[in-house]
Amino acid sequence: MSAVQCGFIGLGNIGKPMCANIARKASSQHLALSVFDLDPAPLAEMQALGARVVESAEELARNCSLIALCVRNDADVEQLLYGEAGIFAVAAPKTVIAIHSTVTRDGVVRWAADAAERGLALVDAPITGGAAGAADATLCIMAGGSKAAVSRCQAMFACTSKTVVYAGEAGQATVLKLANNLMNYAAFSAISEAAQLVKCAGADLDALHQVGQANGVITTMMKQFIDGRDGVRAACSDEDMRAVFGPFAALAEKDLDHALSLAAQLNVALPLTERVRRDIDDVFMAISRPDVE
């Protein structure tokens, strides 16, 4: 069986470990991996794992029939897809493009339509499981698009995930991801306030963890968040805290903004999500403020 030419663009906090797992398992999945990123450091790591490093996204798109993008936001995806050297312009017909980024549903629907006009297929394939899940290949991938296009992604998905959930047409996987993140950030907010109450009352925080984990209220991700945040908070300045957790807070705000924008389009009220969005930066920074409402 000849290898499928597979390309991966975006080697950040999540993309690099995902790509590393594809590189390690490429031959067993009959894939030949090419990679591109603006930062040369992770490219060298992927090359050491056997991936082919290319000099541009255009070169990758010209030579791969399966392309994965794991970049920051809608604007980054747009920059890669459009233009004279963009993926849409140079990719061969029937190429499948999988978007792992957390973006907007409107963006995905438009990109999928534009891809189809050019004889290409686009799958929205956001992930959940974080950097740890990306590293140990236990991610959950939500996949939206035609079943045929999603099927063509399965060899690549098998390298990075333990679960693939088919969501329906393109855009629906992004809806699931926004809803999932909404719940995660609400959970982070809940454990942050619960921990504050317990500490101020002089009770044992470890006992709260034991109770919450025993009855399923506190998940592994929630405990990792609160332990990590409070551990850093105790050891660093406000400036250092901002440097460490600021980028995560900004991602949370982006994702919650996407969820609230979609809710507004659908005329759905999400009052709790609005409150979480208002306070999520404080949650990540471990800042307690009096309620002004």
Side-chain angles (χ1 to χ4, degrees), residues 104-194:
T104 62
R105 185 186 68 164
D106 287 353
V108 170
V109 171
R110 178 165 53 83
W111 302 330
D114 288 348
E117 287 183 359
R118 293 163 171 81
L120 312 173
L122 188 136
V123 171
D124 57 325
I127 62 95
T128 185
D136 60 20
T138 58
L139 295 171
C140 172
I141 296 177
M142 295 143 276
S146 73
K147 288 185 177 181
V150 172
S151 178
R152 288 182 57 195
C153 296
Q154 290 298 340
M156 182 174 65
F157 291 169
C159 298
T160 60
S161 66
K162 67 175 182 179
T163 305
V164 178
V165 177
Y166 181 63
E169 64 186 13
Q172 297 298 71
T174 292
V175 175
L176 294 183
K177 177 60 188 296
L178 295 177
N180 178 80
N181 284 11
L182 179 162
M183 292 188 289
N184 275 338
Y185 294 132
F188 290 173
S189 300
I191 196 170
S192 181
E193 292 195 357

Side-chain angles (χ1 to χ4, degrees), residues 9-293:
I9 299 175
L11 303 177
N13 184 52
I14 302 295
K16 186 174 79 168
M18 289 180 69
C19 190
N21 279 318
I22 297 173
R24 294 186 185 102
K25 302 173 186 179
S27 60
S28 66
Q29 293 294 331
H30 306 289
L31 299 172
L33 178 65
S34 297
V35 297
F36 175 72
D37 193 272
L38 295 175
D39 183 354
L43 289 176
E45 294 180 49
M46 296 307 107
Q47 188 170 42
L49 291 173
R52 174 175 174 262
V53 173
V54 298
E55 295 187 358
S56 68
E58 178 184 3
E59 180 184 351
L60 184 147
R62 287 188 183 278
N63 293 284
C64 295
S65 60
L66 178 60
I67 301 171
L69 308 183
C70 192
V71 292
R72 291 173 300 178
N73 51 35
D74 287 53
D76 286 350
V77 173
E78 295 253 342
Q79 187 174 14
L80 288 165
L81 294 181
Y82 294 95
E84 292 183 1
I87 293 171
F88 283 166
V90 304
K94 299 184 179 179
T95 296
V96 177
I97 306 153
I99 310 294
H100 289 304
S101 312
T102 301
V103 290
T104 62
R105 185 186 68 164
D106 287 353
V108 170
V109 171
R110 178 165 53 83
W111 302 330
D114 288 348
E117 287 183 359
R118 293 163 171 81
L120 312 173
L122 188 136
V123 171
D124 57 325
I127 62 95
T128 185
D136 60 20
T138 58
L139 295 171
C140 172
I141 296 177
M142 295 143 276
S146 73
K147 288 185 177 181
V150 172
S151 178
R152 288 182 57 195
C153 296
Q154 290 298 340
M156 182 174 65
F157 291 169
C159 298
T160 60
S161 66
K162 67 175 182 179
T163 305
V164 178
V165 177
Y166 181 63
E169 64 186 13
Q172 297 298 71
T174 292
V175 175
L176 294 183
K177 177 60 188 296
L178 295 177
N180 178 80
N181 284 11
L182 179 162
M183 292 188 289
N184 275 338
Y185 294 132
F188 290 173
S189 300
I191 196 170
S192 181
E193 292 195 357
Q196 182 184 359
L197 179 65
V198 166
K199 290 176 184 177
C200 289
D204 186 355
L205 185 58
D206 286 337
L208 173 66
H209 290 162
Q210 291 177 44
V211 172
Q213 290 177 306
N215 62 25
V217 171
I218 296 178
T219 66
T220 299
M221 187 174 292
M222 291 167 69
K223 188 172 189 304
Q224 288 174 341
F225 167 75
I226 199 71
D227 287 348
R229 186 202 70 174
D230 289 356
V232 172
R233 174 75 275 180
C236 73
S237 66
D238 291 348
E239 184 178 19
D240 290 339
M241 188 71 178
R242 175 62 62 183
V244 173
F245 279 94
F248 296 104
L251 284 174
E253 291 178 337
K254 171 185 73 76
D255 294 352
L256 290 166
D257 283 342
H258 288 345
L260 289 168
S261 177
L262 178 59
Q265 290 181 35
L266 300 173
N267 198 29
V268 174
L270 300 179
L272 177 59
T273 304
E274 291 176 356
R275 173 64 182 264
V276 171
R277 169 61 180 87
R278 189 195 78 182
D279 295 338
I280 196 64
D281 184 76
D282 289 353
V283 169
F284 273 92
M285 295 301 113
I287 297 172
S288 175
R289 301 187 192 280
D291 198 334
V292 296
E293 292 184 344

